[in-house]
Amino acid sequence: MNYDIIVVGGGHAGCEASLAASRLGHRTLLVTGNIKNIADMPCNPSIGGPAKGILVREIDALGGEMGINTDKSHIQLKMLNTKKGPAVRALRAQADKVTYANNMLETLKRQENLEIKEAIVDDLVVENGKVLGIKSENGETINSKIVILTTGTYLKADVLVGDKRTSSGPHGEKPAKNLSDNLRKLGLTIQRLKTGTPPRIERSSIDFSELEREDGDDILRTFSYDINPLYKIEEQVPCYLTYTNLKTHEIINENLNKSSMYGGYVTGIGPRYCPSIEDKVVKFHDKERHQLFLEPESLSYDDIYLQGFSTSMPNDVQEKMVHSLKGLENAKILKYAYAIEYDAIDPLEMKPSLENKIIENLFTAGQINGTSGYEEAAAQGLMAGINASLKLQEKEPLILKRNEAYIGVLIDDLVTKGTNEPYRMLTSRAEYRLLLRHDNADIRLREYGYQVGLIDDKRYQNFQNKLHDIEELTNYLKNNKLTTKDNKVIENLDTSPILDGITYYDLLKRPGITLEKLLTTLNLNLYYNKEVLEQVEISIKYEGYIRKSLIDANRLKQLESIEIPEDFDYSLVQNIATEARQKFLKIRPRTLGQASRISGVNPSDIAVLSVFLKRYKHD
Amino acid sequence: MNDTIASIATSLGVGAISIIRVSGTEAIKIVNKIFKGKDLKKVASHTIHYGHIINNEEIIDEVLVSVMKKPKTYTMEDVVEINCHGGIASTNKVLELLLLNGCRLASPGEFTKRAFLNGRIDLIEAEAVSDLINSETDLERKVAINGLEGNLSKLIKDIRNNLLNIISNIEVNIDYPEYQDIYEVTLEDLKKQVPNIKIKLEKLVMDYENTKLLHKGINVAIIGRPNVGKSSLLNKLLDENKAIVTNIPGTTRDIVEGTIYLDGIKLNIIDTAGIRETNDVVESIGVSKSLKALKNANLILLLLNNNEEITNEDKDLISKTNDKTTIIVINKNDLNTKLDLTTLNLENVVSINTIDNQGIDSLKNKIKELFNFDMINNSDFTYITNLRQITKIKEALNILNELEIGINQEQDLDILEMDLKDIWNTLGLIIGESYDEELLDDLFKNFCVGK
């Protein structure tokens, strides 16, 4: 059997990778340990949130599946940060874990060129530094031109509860015991990471009556640019809030030595932004309470996810801890919290295309690259699928820049700075976040999706129409003026009278005036859809700040445009500090811009390198 | 980058010995070519050798040569230092020979720049070292040493920490909007905190202006009609000071007649009298020369003659100096008073004669008063000593002004936070720090969030 591309792992990265590869016409095989776990959400039941929600929009703009699949599968949807500026708004959905997985599996099954197979992969077939296929646990070899590893937390996974360590993936699934050792033998650096998940509580055992309720928004929205909302506002399911209290903290402090982490049973490094409740209580000992969220996992079963309560305490202590919480005094724990340790590669050994530097035609995406989160995984999976396909077509890889997409920030951070804790996307990681908004993901990326071939003509045409409308409306606002004679009408906009002629465009810049208000008050018979109005309004109202970001981004572009040859001999450049030289040799930055972002590299190193590259080019 | 550079490392004219420093891969080879004594290519590192600098068998100077091989040198390159004994002329000749044999004349601060580029010292240290080398007076040395110990770094770090606390709080509000227990930064907070940061930055700029006076000295122009006593005043000022640094004609664009130190602060005295008198031209030229000298002066000493009535020319000069810090010096107060200034309503008038010191002392006190010598002397001078640093601080202040406009327009906090970050980053460049990781560390150290 010969495939173009084999994707190992059926999580969020694997689904996007195999869909992109097969949609681009490549014969693709998705290998998973258990078909039942395809598109599984072993942790929280939500998709999106600040920065992450924008990742999902970007995936959709490029032609990935996560946005549409979430729109088909959620039980609550919220726009976050609506009281802040447009740059930080983001959608978050409470996804139904059962329908999400089912819908994704259906999509995969329907997909042409894509086959799914159950097997545990043990090793890669590699010859002359080039991958030629995979070997499964039962000795079967399957050949392919490209292999994409999206193994999630399954590499040599150990589940930890208290002092108990069990070799297992999430839900008691079989881990891939040998693959990471074999990758190490092939020359890859392997690191050990850790993450954790909180207990699941039976819904009917919780007393919600005294808990704070959190409902979904009363405005219909979608992640995807291409579909209409599929849910009803009143059918959304609420979440609830509760808090830890001094009694909870007392229980935790008394039992600290029994926790896997504090008992010294864990070697992997956990993420800072996913602290266990033990961590929170110890590090923030003066805080009297910590906020917890009760999130329904699915309409099909009774589990409530207790967000904020990750722990690796033994089961009996978990019982006591949970019962100390308001509303959960009689709660029944359906699944105990656990920590999980797993192997990951060093992302510094990866090119920005997500291809491995040591083994050609091997791509990796998701938690194996040291990231955390469904959205981060899906984004990489999509890019790995796209770039594997482009490689087969002998085309240049698609590498998104930091000023183009959160996906660009994510991958650039990974391949430039590496990570030694599971990497989560945060808005603060994006220096050009005003350019990387929820609302303009399509304007930033749809063209790429179309060029690559994941956006069909119909979707592309809709996008072109939107661009056309935006331009038309913007021009209209620029070219039409109000004069002092119109001050009567202007009064109705609750703004001070004008002293001279003013264009609609400039009037819109005044605080408190929205485009919708302007159009209705002035009785302008212009009918554009909401997304067009939103786009025009944001780009006018924030014009000054956007321009500033663009200037900064252009400065970056200059550094990005100076390429460093892949085989560049750093020993030729004297006067570079030793630390910088070592980093350059390991990371082999592609551009001066990337080089400047490596930690431990000083501006002087970049200055020296830049001068040398200029001379090098001339010679 | 790695060519061999040379320059005179000591101040010309001061002390009996001048040192020429040579650094780079060819340093030993080049010096060896013009050195008569041991073969420097064969001597051990960090040794000193007696010999002569020769040019075609002609002895230029008797010297001691220190040979220091990389990496344990100031620049981390091969360094040779030549101690010359023969005064300015022969030292210049030795330097010229080095240049003829393949050295390049080092630009100011280039040795320190190499030390920095080769990773021996950090940026602030580099700047402080170069200031230390260039400093001529005790006060300057005080500033330079404070820079070395990182006082400026500490100040900038404090301001940055202040900013970082606000920034990371806003970031947490953005990334974790669902946490109700976390303090939500408001516009009011910014309205309170931003002005404090502004005051600190503005104080740095002000202190810079003062330290600049320390470095460059105060340019003092003595102007006045011919024969009013400019030369006498100059001579009196110079005579009073034994700490005179010789005047090297043509070393500055101004006509520096002499430099004196007043309480450790340098005064560059620019006199226009000498020129006019040697040229023996009509009196009007004296006025125009004086006006020219006005331009570059920080302080004007306008001389009037007590023994003569005020002339239109005097009045003209008085009005021309309106916008400058000026002291009206009335000379010849030992003679009959014919001058009447009552109608002119002048400030800062000092009356002197060139016979006793009483008037000169009150003139000096006046200068000290006008330039806040007390404050300068009592400052702790943790401050900015170079242009790169001050440019960055002014840049940060500019962004801060934009931020204030945004605050007044009640912009969204996440938008305003971009300016805060920009200021934080710009200040980071001063101390060579700007890591995003720093922000994330702070964020997760101070806020308890996450599932």
Side-chain angles (χ1 to χ4, degrees):
Chain A
M1 276 281 222
N2 260 312
Y3 291 93
D4 292 324
I5 295 172
I6 293 175
V7 177
V8 181
H12 304 285
C15 289
E16 294 291 349
S18 45
L19 282 172
S22 52
R23 281 169 178 168
L24 293 175
H26 300 292
R27 192 149 178 245
T28 306
L29 177 69
L30 172 59
V31 182
T32 168
N34 186 344
I35 290 181
K36 274 195 299 187
N37 282 329
I38 278 186
D40 177 37
M41 306 171 96
C43 205
N44 59 328
S46 81
I47 286 182
K52 285 163 166 273
I54 302 179
L55 277 176
V56 179
R57 292 281 276 183
E58 292 176 353
I59 291 168
D60 186 74
L62 287 166
E65 196 61 26
M66 183 173 250
I68 293 174
N69 205 59
T70 308
D71 288 330
K72 289 180 192 165
S73 322
H74 64 76
I75 50 180
Q76 190 201 91
L77 192 65
K78 252 183 147 160
M79 182 66 95
L80 302 175
N81 287 334
T82 45
K83 286 183 187 135
K84 303 190 180 90
V88 296
R89 279 171 215 152
L91 271 183
R92 187 179 59 208
Q94 294 300 136
D96 186 314
K97 286 189 175 185
V98 174
T99 37
Y100 188 91
N102 286 344
N103 285 332
M104 187 59 89
L105 184 59
E106 281 311 305
T107 305
L108 293 169
K109 280 182 175 166
R110 274 201 313 270
Q111 182 59 45
E112 250 181 277
N113 301 323
L114 180 59
E115 290 168 48
I116 305 173
K117 181 186 170 70
E118 274 188 0
I120 298 279
V121 176
D122 238 13
D123 201 356
L124 298 177
V125 186
V126 176
E127 258 174 47
N128 300 326
K130 220 173 185 175
V131 74
L132 299 173
I134 54 164
K135 274 183 218 154
S136 75
E137 211 176 36
N138 54 25
E140 189 187 359
T141 296
I142 311 172
N143 293 323
S144 67
K145 293 172 187 154
I146 282 181
V147 172
I148 304 176
L149 292 179
T150 59
T151 51
T153 57
Y154 280 82
L155 289 184
K156 236 188 190 179
D158 282 339
V159 163
L160 299 131
V161 181
D163 59 356
K164 271 194 296 187
R165 174 185 285 268
T166 323
S167 169
S168 165
H171 323 300
E173 288 293 331
K174 259 179 94 177
K177 286 189 182 170
N178 301 318
L179 185 54
S180 53
D181 284 339
N182 287 325
L183 290 175
R184 190 182 279 125
K185 280 182 203 154
L186 288 166
L188 271 60
T189 307
I190 302 295
Q191 59 175 334
R192 195 104 177 122
L193 298 175
K194 184 222 131 203
T195 187
T197 193
R200 315 302 203 265
I201 315 293
E202 190 172 52
R203 191 196 322 255
S204 50
S205 71
I206 301 172
D207 177 8
F208 290 103
S209 61
E210 297 210 17
L211 302 183
E212 292 168 44
R213 182 180 160 137
E214 296 257 291
D215 286 302
D217 284 352
D218 49 11
I219 297 172
L220 289 172
R221 291 189 176 95
T222 57
F223 272 106
S224 175
Y225 285 96
D226 307 297
I227 64 174
N228 291 317
L230 302 166
Y231 64 107
K232 294 200 176 94
I233 284 163
E234 63 279 11
E235 283 174 2
Q236 295 182 89
V237 180
C239 296
Y240 291 88
L241 290 185
T242 189
Y243 297 90
T244 63
N245 51 51
L246 292 177
K247 196 180 165 205
T248 324
H249 298 181
E250 206 183 290
I251 298 169
I252 291 170
N253 280 320
E254 276 170 13
N255 291 286
L256 264 187
N257 60 340
K258 294 182 188 162
S259 142
S260 311
M261 278 190 51
Y262 281 84
Y265 308 111
V266 174
T267 50
I269 300 166
R272 280 175 295 189
Y273 43 79
C274 241
S276 64
I277 190 70
E278 292 95 293
D279 251 348
K280 293 185 193 177
V281 168
V282 171
K283 283 189 190 150
F284 298 88
H285 51 85
D286 47 349
K287 266 196 97 172
E288 285 177 6
R289 61 178 203 175
H290 295 277
Q291 195 174 352
L292 304 175
F293 302 84
L294 287 87
E295 303 177 17
E297 293 209 335
S298 171
L299 298 179
S300 314
Y301 58 79
D302 234 9
D303 294 37
I304 298 286
Y305 178 92
L306 190 54
Q307 205 229 102
F309 213 63
S310 293
T311 177
S312 52
M313 287 285 193
N315 295 354
D316 59 322
V317 182
Q318 289 192 32
E319 292 277 353
K320 282 189 209 158
M321 285 159 60
V322 167
H323 291 150
S324 73
L325 304 171
K326 190 165 129 191
L328 280 78
E329 292 86 353
N330 300 306
K332 187 179 167 201
I333 300 180
L334 292 174
K335 285 183 201 126
Y336 289 97
Y338 61 89
I340 188 165
E341 264 191 359
Y342 55 97
D343 281 349
I345 66 155
D346 178 356
L348 291 179
E349 292 177 356
M350 194 165 72
K351 298 178 187 176
S353 63
L354 301 183
E355 185 178 0
N356 196 272
K357 287 177 187 169
I358 296 159
I359 304 172
E360 198 186 344
N361 290 342
L362 173 67
F363 288 72
T364 49
Q367 276 165 307
I368 189 176
N369 287 342
T371 58
S372 144
Y374 311 140
E375 305 83 353
E376 289 86 343
Q380 292 169 69
L382 173 64
M383 296 313 292
I386 289 174
N387 283 328
S389 301
L390 289 171
K391 178 133 200 212
L392 288 178
Q393 296 163 16
E394 296 180 2
K395 287 183 187 158
E396 285 293 305
L398 175 62
I399 292 159
L400 300 172
K401 297 193 187 76
R402 295 183 77 88
N403 57 333
E404 285 179 326
Y406 272 93
I407 300 178
V409 175
L410 167 70
I411 294 175
D412 183 67
D413 277 350
L414 287 176
V415 303
T416 307
K417 294 176 177 156
T419 187
N420 52 18
E421 64 171 345
Y423 176 105
R424 176 192 159 137
M425 189 36 93
L426 298 161
T427 43
S428 50
R429 297 194 194 269
E431 49 278 72
Y432 311 110
R433 67 168 185 238
L434 189 53
L435 305 178
L436 310 183
R437 302 188 307 271
H438 165 90
D439 59 270
N440 69 354
D442 56 341
I443 293 173
R444 291 183 274 126
L445 302 172
R446 188 130 277 198
E447 185 68 37
Y448 289 127
Y450 179 67
Q451 294 300 335
V452 165
L454 287 176
I455 296 297
D456 61 26
D457 287 338
K458 189 174 157 246
R459 287 161 89 183
Y460 188 62
Q461 194 49 53
N462 287 339
F463 167 63
Q464 287 297 325
N465 294 345
K466 179 178 170 185
L467 287 186
H468 173 264
D469 285 356
I470 289 169
E471 199 189 333
E472 192 179 71
L473 178 56
T474 308
N475 284 337
Y476 178 87
L477 295 171
K478 271 185 183 163
N479 295 332
N480 286 281
K481 266 189 172 183
L482 289 165
T483 65
T484 42
K485 278 184 278 176
D486 301 306
N487 266 332
K488 261 242 135 37
V489 195
I490 288 170
E491 214 171 89
N492 296 330
L493 285 167
D494 300 321
T495 185
S496 49
I498 57 172
L499 306 169
D500 206 347
I502 187 171
T503 61
Y504 296 157
Y505 189 94
D506 287 332
L507 190 64
L508 187 57
K509 285 192 171 170
R510 290 191 177 181
I513 299 182
T514 65
L515 183 51
E516 221 175 320
K517 197 166 156 190
L518 185 84
L519 296 182
T520 46
T521 313
L522 298 179
N523 257 329
L524 302 172
N525 292 320
L526 296 168
Y527 301 102
Y528 291 97
N529 75 33
K530 263 197 173 135
E531 287 196 353
V532 171
L533 295 180
E534 183 188 29
Q535 205 47 237
V536 171
E537 181 174 308
I538 289 172
S539 40
I540 294 174
K541 277 207 175 293
Y542 295 90
E543 193 186 11
Y545 287 97
I546 291 174
R547 194 186 304 127
K548 206 175 152 195
S549 285
L550 281 172
I551 290 169
D552 285 350
N554 271 330
R555 215 172 291 150
L556 168 87
K557 233 185 249 167
Q558 284 173 3
L559 278 181
E560 290 301 329
S561 69
I562 303 173
E563 288 183 17
I564 307 173
E566 225 169 292
D567 56 349
F568 184 71
D569 183 1
Y570 286 96
S571 68
L572 294 175
V573 196
Q574 302 191 9
N575 298 323
I576 291 186
T578 315
E579 188 191 355
R581 191 189 307 277
Q582 283 164 354
K583 294 260 171 84
F584 288 153
L585 282 170
K586 171 150 198 200
I587 295 162
R588 295 218 154 265
R590 289 175 58 256
T591 67
L592 206 56
Q594 192 192 347
S596 70
R597 289 189 294 276
I598 298 172
S599 61
V601 170
N602 291 314
S604 58
D605 299 318
I606 296 303
V608 171
L609 185 59
S610 138
V611 169
F612 191 89
L613 282 171
K614 265 180 214 156
R615 243 192 291 162
Y616 188 86
K617 233 179 171 179
H618 283 294
D619 292 347
Chain B
M1 282 312 281
N2 55 339
D3 57 351
T4 300
I5 52 174
S7 81
I8 300 169
T10 45
S11 301
L12 270 177
V14 184
I17 301 172
S18 318
I19 299 172
I20 297 179
R21 181 181 288 152
V22 187
S23 174
T25 43
E26 306 261 276
I28 298 172
K29 197 178 133 198
I30 294 173
V31 176
N32 203 37
K33 276 199 246 175
I34 59 168
F35 179 72
K36 193 175 175 187
K38 275 187 198 159
D39 183 352
L40 297 177
K41 283 194 276 189
K42 290 177 183 160
V43 304
S45 182
H46 294 78
T47 51
I48 298 182
H49 307 277
Y50 171 82
H52 295 93
I53 296 295
I54 50 160
N55 180 26
N56 300 328
E57 301 303 313
E58 177 201 355
I59 291 176
I60 306 296
D61 201 358
E62 183 184 12
V63 296
L64 282 174
V65 171
S66 324
V67 176
M68 291 158 280
K69 292 182 186 165
K70 69 176 180 182
K72 285 187 180 168
T73 69
Y74 182 64
T75 55
M76 293 182 83
E77 302 171 336
D78 285 347
V79 170
V80 180
E81 287 182 355
I82 307 171
N83 294 24
C84 304
H85 297 81
I88 296 170
S90 63
T91 304
N92 274 331
K93 182 76 189 164
V94 175
L95 181 62
E96 203 183 306
L97 272 176
L98 286 168
L99 301 182
L100 279 174
N101 281 282
C103 287
R104 176 171 62 74
L105 185 64
S107 44
E110 198 170 357
F111 290 101
T112 304
K113 187 175 157 199
R114 286 190 177 196
F116 165 68
L117 285 179
N118 291 332
R120 211 184 78 101
I121 51 179
D122 78 17
L123 206 49
I124 290 236
E125 272 181 327
E127 283 161 358
V129 166
S130 89
D131 286 337
L132 191 62
I133 294 165
N134 293 328
S135 68
E136 290 177 48
T137 70
D138 289 343
L139 261 184
E140 281 181 50
R141 215 159 276 141
K142 194 164 141 196
V143 176
I145 286 166
N146 276 342
L148 267 179
E149 285 167 359
N151 276 2
L152 173 66
S153 308
K154 196 182 162 297
L155 229 135
I156 298 284
K157 274 179 190 156
D158 285 349
I159 298 177
R160 288 186 85 227
N161 277 341
N162 190 349
L163 285 165
L164 191 58
N165 286 337
I166 312 173
I167 293 168
S168 59
N169 199 157
I170 296 177
E171 297 276 358
V172 163
N173 295 151
I174 293 167
D175 274 321
Y176 296 91
E178 70 274 28
Y179 280 77
Q180 300 172 352
D181 275 3
I182 289 175
Y183 181 76
E184 178 105 26
V185 179
T186 63
L187 207 58
E188 291 311 308
D189 295 325
L190 292 192
K191 281 181 184 166
K192 260 184 249 155
Q193 301 210 33
V194 170
N196 287 335
I197 295 169
K198 189 174 179 177
I199 288 168
K200 285 182 191 160
L201 290 177
E202 279 174 341
K203 177 160 189 315
L204 282 175
V205 175
M206 226 170 66
D207 285 333
Y208 170 74
E209 299 300 331
N210 282 335
T211 41
K212 204 165 69 179
L213 285 184
L214 293 189
H215 277 267
K216 298 191 172 165
I218 301 169
N219 289 338
V220 184
I222 304 176
I223 62 168
R225 278 189 292 118
N227 293 325
V228 78
K230 295 195 291 289
S231 302
S232 320
L233 175 60
L234 176 70
N235 288 336
K236 192 79 187 161
L237 281 170
L238 296 184
D239 279 344
E240 291 299 321
N241 278 278
K242 302 303 176 200
I244 299 168
V245 173
T246 51
N247 49 345
I248 306 164
T251 47
T252 72
R253 260 173 296 164
D254 299 314
I255 315 114
V256 177
E257 293 290 338
T259 303
I260 64 165
Y261 287 97
L262 196 55
D263 289 2
I265 293 172
K266 188 159 75 171
L267 304 185
N268 306 314
I269 312 215
I270 304 154
D271 172 44
T272 53
I275 301 166
R276 195 205 65 84
E277 274 151 25
T278 53
N279 284 346
D280 189 33
V281 286
V282 282
E283 290 187 351
S284 62
I285 293 177
V287 178
S288 84
K289 283 279 181 194
S290 300
L291 291 178
K292 204 173 169 189
L294 281 180
K295 226 174 111 186
N296 297 324
N298 307 106
L299 170 68
I300 313 280
L301 301 183
L302 200 167
L303 238 71
L304 302 174
N305 188 345
N306 182 50
N307 195 229
E308 285 171 18
E309 281 182 30
I310 196 155
T311 65
N312 284 339
E313 206 177 324
D314 287 331
K315 285 182 185 166
D316 193 30
L317 283 175
I318 290 169
S319 72
K320 290 266 163 57
T321 54
N322 263 345
D323 55 341
K324 286 268 183 186
T325 307
T326 307
I327 300 176
I328 307 285
V329 184
I330 299 169
N331 196 14
K332 304 182 188 178
N333 68 0
D334 49 325
L335 302 178
N336 288 339
T337 301
K338 291 182 184 163
L339 189 70
D340 182 12
L341 297 176
T342 44
T343 54
L344 290 172
N345 196 19
L346 293 170
E347 280 175 55
N348 305 327
V349 181
V350 175
S351 154
I352 63 159
N353 62 63
T354 45
I355 298 157
D356 65 49
N357 286 331
Q358 219 183 333
I360 291 291
D361 285 344
S362 49
L363 172 60
K364 284 180 188 168
N365 286 335
K366 196 80 201 168
I367 296 175
K368 290 182 202 170
E369 181 194 316
L370 286 177
F371 285 86
N372 274 323
F373 276 32
D374 277 355
M375 202 196 75
I376 297 178
N377 277 311
N378 294 326
S379 294
D380 56 354
F381 287 110
T382 54
Y383 301 136
I384 314 148
T385 50
N386 75 32
L387 195 64
R388 189 188 65 84
Q389 294 170 345
I390 192 67
T391 310
K392 287 289 162 210
I393 288 173
K394 285 182 177 166
E395 217 173 278
L397 265 172
N398 279 340
I399 307 165
L400 200 138
N401 288 333
E402 281 170 40
L403 171 66
E404 285 191 322
I405 295 172
I407 292 174
N408 287 333
Q409 291 173 343
E410 315 221 318
Q411 284 288 359
D412 306 311
L413 274 168
D414 62 286
I415 297 275
L416 297 174
E417 190 242 20
M418 297 195 308
D419 283 338
L420 285 170
K421 246 184 172 172
D422 221 359
I423 298 169
W424 180 70
N425 265 321
T426 307
L427 293 178
L429 292 175
I430 296 172
I431 51 174
E433 269 175 24
S434 237
Y435 301 126
D436 294 340
E437 274 304 303
E438 209 181 314
L439 175 70
L440 290 183
D441 280 340
D442 189 75
L443 209 144
F444 292 110
K445 206 169 65 212
N446 294 322
F447 299 94
C448 187
V449 286
K451 60 183 180 181

